Amino acid sequence: MSGPSTRTAFDRAADEGRAALMGYYPAGFPDVETGIAAIKVMVESGVDVVEIGLPYSDPVMDGPTIQAAAQQALDGGVRIADVLRTVEAVAATGVPTVVMTYWNPVDRYGVERFAADLASAGGSGLITPDLTPDSAPGGGQAWIAAAEAHDLDRIFLVSPSSTDERIAMTTAASRGFVYATAVMGVTGARDQTSDLAEPLVRRTKAVTDLPVGVGLGVSNGDQAAEIGRYADGVIVGSAFVRTILDNPSDRPAGLRALGALTADLADGVRRARR
Amino acid sequence: MTDPTATGVFGEFGGRFMPEALIAALDELDAAWQEAMADPVFVAEFEAVLRDYAGMPSPLYEATRLSEQVGARILLKREDLNHTGAHKIRNVMGQALLTKRMGKKRVIAETGAGQHGVASATAAAYFGLDCTVYMGAVDTRRQALNVARMHLLGATVVPVESGSATLKDAINEALREWVATVDHTAYLFGTAAGPHPFPSMVRDFCRGIGDEARAQCLERYGVLPDAVAACVGGGSNAIGLFTAFLDDADVAVWGFEAGGDGVETGRHAATIGAGRPGVLHGARTYVLQDDDGQTIESHSISAGLDYPGVGPEHAHLAASGRAIYESVTDTEAMDALALLARSEGIIPAIESAHAVAGALRKARALAAEKGPEATVLINLSGRGDKDMGTAIEWFGLGDPDEVTAEPVGEQREGNAP
C-alpha cells in the first residue's frame, strides 16, 4: 500500500501556521546505508516530506552538487532496488516519502511495475523533472494512469516560463502538491532567493487548491523564512547534499552538519509567518 | 502516421520529454519555425545563403573507379565540398537565420566531432551572433583542429568533463545552460534528435541533400537510384538524404551506425541495432541503456557518431521497416576511408567512411542481383581533414622516417646525421 499523500504533511504544517519543509537527498550517496542514515537525520531534525533522488546518468536539470552525488552513487553501483529499499526505510518513519526521478529509469523499469513497487515500499508518489503531463508518446498519461491505480501522488513542475494555460493543465493533472521552480536554471544553492518565485506561486495558486512548494536554490533558514511567507512548502536539496560532500572522510561530522542545517531550515519555515 | 510536423511524434517515437522550464521556449521555436517555413521571404533567404555563401547545391559525383571495383554504379553526394566541410552548414544556417528572425542575439551549441561546432561558429560569425559551444573534453582532445577553427571564428569553446565527456554530456551541459539563458539565447541543436521541434526542423533544413540528389540523379541518368545510403549518429545527414526518397517505394534506404570494436564486444554506438526504446535528451527513441535505464557510454573511432541515442524518425523508419540499419566497425570504416582516398582522391570524414563501407558491402550484393546498372547513392557527409590525426595514428603515418620511397637528391655535407 502506498504511503500517505504528501498533502497530509502540508495540511499539518498549515494547521501549525507554517510552511512545510521538504528535503531532497539522492539514494545510494555516498553508499546506500549512509544515505538512509542521512535521510533519517533529516527526518529527526524537522523535514516534513522526503524526496529521494534516483541517481541517473544524464541529469540535465541538476547542477554540479547533485551531479557529483549522483555520480558517486552510480559509481558505487546503486540500483533501482536500492532506491526502493531506501524509500522503504524512510517511509517506515511515517514521513511522506516521494521519489524524484528523470523519466528513463521508470520507463525502462516499466511504469506500472515501478508504481506498484514504489507503493509497496510505502512510497507516496513521484516528482518528475523531465516529464510533463503532456509528454508523449508513452509518458505523462501512462504515469498518471499508473499513479491513479496505485494511489500515488504525481508531482509535476511549474516554471517561471510556464504560460497560465500550462500551469492550469499541469496542476489539473497533479496530486499531492505542485513543485514550483523558483529560478530559471539547474539545481544548486544560491545566495539570494529569486524574485521570480512569488509571482509564480501566485499564478499557480490562482488555478489550484493544491499546496505549492518552492524549490531550487534554498540553502539556509533565512531564505526558507522568506519563501515560507508565501509558499506552502520550501524545498531544499543541494545544500543538504553539500554537507555530506564536504565531509568525505568524517561521516559523523557530515551527519552533524546535515542535522544542524535541517534544524536551521525547520526554524526558518516556523519563523516565516510569525 | 500522425503528422510529424505538428506533433513531433513518429509512430512510437519522438515527442517531447523535457523540463517544464524549456517547454515555452520549444513552443516559441516551433511556432517561429513553422511561420518562417511558410514565409517565402525566409525560404528564399535560406536558399540564397546556402547557394551564395555555403556552395549549394553540392555536386553528385559518379565515382567511376570505385564503381568498377564494386561492379555497381556508385554515386557520391559531395557534401564534403560544402563551406566548412560538411552537411552541417545547412542546418546551422537555417537555425541561425531563424534565431535572427526571432530577435535573439546569442546562440549555444553542442558538438561531437566539432563539425557542428565549427558550423555554428561560422553561422554566428556570418549573422553577427555571440556563440558558445559545448564539447566533451575527450572530443576537444581528439578534434583539436576543429577547436582551433572555432576559436578563430570567435566562438567560446567550453570543454565538458562530466559523465563520459563526449557528445551526450555536451548536450547535457548545453541544456543546463539553456534553461538559465533561454530568454535571450537560442540553442542550435546539431542533429535531428532531441525534443520536438528539433528532429523535424533539423530534417527540413537538411533535406536539401536528398532533394538535390534525387533531382541530380534523375536529370543525369533518368532513373532513381536503387538505394541511398548514409551514416547515422544522431542522424541529420541521413534524414536529410532519406526524406526525398521515402515515398519512392523502389528505392532502398540504408543507414549505417558505428559498430566500434564490433557490436558483439559491447564497445560500439549501434543504437538502433543494439539499443532499446527509451527516452534520452527529450525524445523517445532507441537508447544504449542498461536494465535500470542508465545510459551506456557509446564507443566509436568517429566522434561524430559516438552517441548513445539516435534521431526519433530513424527509430521509426527502422521499426516500420522502411529503412534498413546496419553497423560498420572502426576497421571497416578506416579501410573504406583509405579505399576512397586511393581510388577517387577523396579523403572523407570518418563518419562518412562508415556510409561508404556499409554501402559498398551491400552494393556488391545488389550488383550480383541487378548487374552493373545497379545504382547506389551515398551521402559523403563531410571531408576528412579534421580526422587526419586519427588517420595518422590508425595507419601509422606519423613517423617522418616512414616514407614510401627512398630519399632522392644528394645529401649535402653538414646535413649528415
Side-chain angles (χ1 to χ4, degrees):
Chain A
M1 208 189 95
S2 62
S5 169
T6 51
R7 180 80 193 240
T8 59
F10 282 94
D11 289 347
R12 192 169 52 245
D15 287 346
E16 295 174 14
R18 65 176 177 90
L21 175 63
M22 317 172 65
Y24 168 93
Y25 194 95
F29 166 69
D31 56 70
V32 176
E33 295 313 321
T34 308
I36 291 171
I39 299 169
K40 285 185 171 173
V41 166
M42 289 162 61
V43 172
E44 285 158 15
S45 308
V47 161
D48 300 298
V49 174
V50 171
E51 303 174 1
I52 293 174
L54 191 155
Y56 175 54
S57 52
D58 294 276
V60 296
M61 276 293 281
D62 285 307
T65 301
I66 291 175
Q67 278 181 53
Q71 193 60 50
Q72 274 193 38
L74 289 171
D75 291 346
V78 70
R79 300 291 309 268
I80 289 179
D82 299 313
V83 177
L84 294 169
R85 189 153 63 85
T86 303
V87 169
E88 195 160 14
V90 175
T93 66
V95 166
T97 303
V98 297
V99 168
M100 184 157 187
T101 180
Y102 292 92
W103 191 242
N104 198 50
V106 178
D107 193 80
R108 181 74 252 151
Y109 194 88
V111 180
E112 166 60 29
R113 178 179 164 223
F114 193 97
D117 289 357
L118 178 62
S120 65
S124 299
L126 272 191
I127 303 174
T128 52
D130 65 348
L131 185 85
T132 54
D134 56 345
S135 289
Q141 292 308 310
W143 159 234
I144 290 167
E148 208 50 55
H150 294 278
D151 194 24
L152 292 165
D153 286 349
R154 36 188 191 269
I155 298 135
F156 295 107
L157 279 60
V158 293
S159 154
S161 64
S162 301
T163 60
D164 288 343
E165 291 73 22
R166 286 197 64 82
I167 292 175
M169 181 278 290
T170 302
T171 55
S174 301
R175 201 192 88 169
F177 72 99
V178 180
Y179 191 128
T181 53
V183 295
M184 289 299 288
V186 295
T187 58
R190 289 170 173 81
D191 292 338
Q192 293 185 324
T193 53
S194 157
D195 55 4
L196 298 174
E198 191 168 358
L200 175 60
V201 171
R202 199 182 317 116
R203 287 201 294 141
T204 306
K205 288 178 112 26
V207 293
T208 183
D209 294 329
L210 287 170
V212 179
V214 170
L216 293 196
V218 184
S219 63
N220 61 50
D222 289 342
Q223 290 175 334
E226 195 182 324
I227 290 171
R229 274 199 297 275
Y230 57 83
D232 303 304
V234 177
I235 305 168
V236 180
S238 298
F240 287 137
V241 171
R242 176 57 59 196
T243 61
I244 304 298
L245 266 183
D246 285 349
N247 292 281
S249 53
D250 189 346
R251 208 151 283 170
L255 294 176
R256 276 197 304 277
L258 180 62
L261 173 64
T262 310
D264 177 39
L265 289 159
D267 180 60
V269 295
R270 281 165 177 80
R271 259 188 285 139
R273 300 178 201 164
R274 250 177 235 157
Chain B
M1 193 165 82
T2 46
D3 176 7
T5 301
T7 61
V9 174
F10 305 94
E12 299 289 304
F13 299 97
R16 201 186 264 173
F17 292 77
M18 286 301 272
E20 172 66 18
L22 289 174
I23 299 289
L26 291 167
D27 280 343
E28 180 195 8
L29 179 64
D30 188 19
W33 161 61
Q34 308 248 18
E35 192 189 275
M37 295 305 267
D39 178 356
V41 176
F42 178 86
V43 173
E45 201 176 345
F46 179 50
E47 283 170 1
V49 73
L50 288 188
R51 182 185 65 235
D52 302 334
Y53 177 72
M56 290 353 128
S58 62
L60 186 70
Y61 165 72
E62 182 170 346
T64 50
R65 295 194 59 222
L66 203 56
S67 300
E68 280 165 26
Q69 293 179 48
V70 178
R73 183 193 282 145
I74 304 298
L75 304 177
L76 302 177
K77 178 64 173 164
R78 297 293 308 276
E79 291 291 296
D80 60 316
L81 296 177
N82 296 348
H83 182 46
T84 74
H87 75 285
K88 297 281 188 190
I89 193 73
R90 296 179 185 262
N91 175 36
V92 292
M93 292 317 272
Q95 288 197 51
L97 187 61
L98 189 58
T99 300
K100 204 181 114 192
R101 183 181 168 100
M102 293 171 75
K104 295 193 176 185
K105 300 273 190 281
R106 177 169 181 270
V107 294
I108 56 172
E110 86 295 340
T111 195
Q115 290 303 91
H116 175 60
V118 168
S120 297
T122 301
Y126 179 91
F127 287 110
L129 303 166
D130 187 51
C131 178
T132 298
V133 179
Y134 289 86
M135 186 169 186
V138 168
D139 294 332
T140 56
R141 288 189 285 271
R142 62 181 164 180
Q143 301 288 350
L145 179 63
N146 271 344
V147 174
R149 292 167 79 195
M150 287 183 264
H151 282 151
L152 196 55
L153 289 160
T156 302
V157 180
V158 183
V160 176
E161 297 279 2
S162 60
S164 56
T166 59
L167 177 57
K168 84 171 174 72
D169 307 285
I171 295 174
N172 291 344
E173 215 51 54
L175 285 170
R176 288 182 188 117
E177 209 240 71
W178 200 32
V179 175
T181 58
V182 67
D183 56 326
H184 62 277
T185 296
Y187 183 1
L188 302 190
F189 203 69
T191 191
H196 180 66
F198 285 114
S200 301
M201 181 172 75
V202 173
R203 174 201 61 207
D204 284 1
F205 286 143
C206 290
R207 67 167 294 161
I209 301 169
D211 289 339
E212 290 165 17
R214 191 176 183 282
Q216 288 164 327
C217 189
L218 277 176
E219 187 188 5
R220 184 133 17 122
Y221 305 101
V223 290
L224 290 173
D226 295 291
V228 294
C231 63
V232 181
S236 64
N237 93 84
I239 207 69
L241 174 67
F242 295 171
T243 299
F245 297 97
L246 290 178
D247 290 337
D248 300 320
D250 292 337
V251 178
V253 177
W254 300 338
F256 296 100
E257 298 190 294
D261 293 342
V263 172
E264 70 287 351
T265 66
R267 290 178 53 82
H268 60 81
T271 309
I272 292 173
R276 292 181 289 184
V279 171
L280 180 66
H281 293 141
R284 180 173 296 283
T285 186
Y286 289 105
V287 180
L288 296 181
Q289 55 180 318
D290 68 15
D291 290 338
D292 272 7
Q294 307 290 349
T295 310
I296 295 173
E297 287 175 23
S298 55
H299 294 276
S300 170
I301 193 169
S302 150
L305 302 181
D306 201 352
Y307 180 56
V310 65
E313 192 166 3
H314 288 295
H316 174 63
L317 290 172
S320 71
R322 177 62 188 95
I324 305 288
Y325 296 83
E326 295 183 1
S327 66
V328 166
T329 63
D330 289 354
T331 304
E332 291 173 307
M334 294 309 283
D335 286 351
L337 186 145
L339 176 69
L340 194 62
R342 291 181 182 196
S343 11
E344 297 290 345
I346 298 170
I347 300 175
I350 299 176
E351 289 79 9
S352 317
H354 283 72
V356 174
L360 294 190
R361 186 170 73 201
K362 291 183 78 71
R364 289 193 175 92
L366 193 69
E369 182 193 322
K370 294 199 171 177
E373 288 302 298
T375 301
V376 175
L377 194 161
I378 304 170
N379 191 29
L380 209 66
S381 56
R383 68 178 182 227
D385 305 44
K386 70 182 175 60
D387 292 317
M388 284 313 295
T390 307
I392 284 168
E393 218 171 284
W394 182 271
F395 296 114
L397 307 172
D399 185 347
D401 292 331
E402 277 287 319
V403 287
T404 45
E406 289 302 310
V408 295
E410 208 172 315
Q411 207 161 43
R412 274 181 292 175
E413 268 181 61
N415 275 2

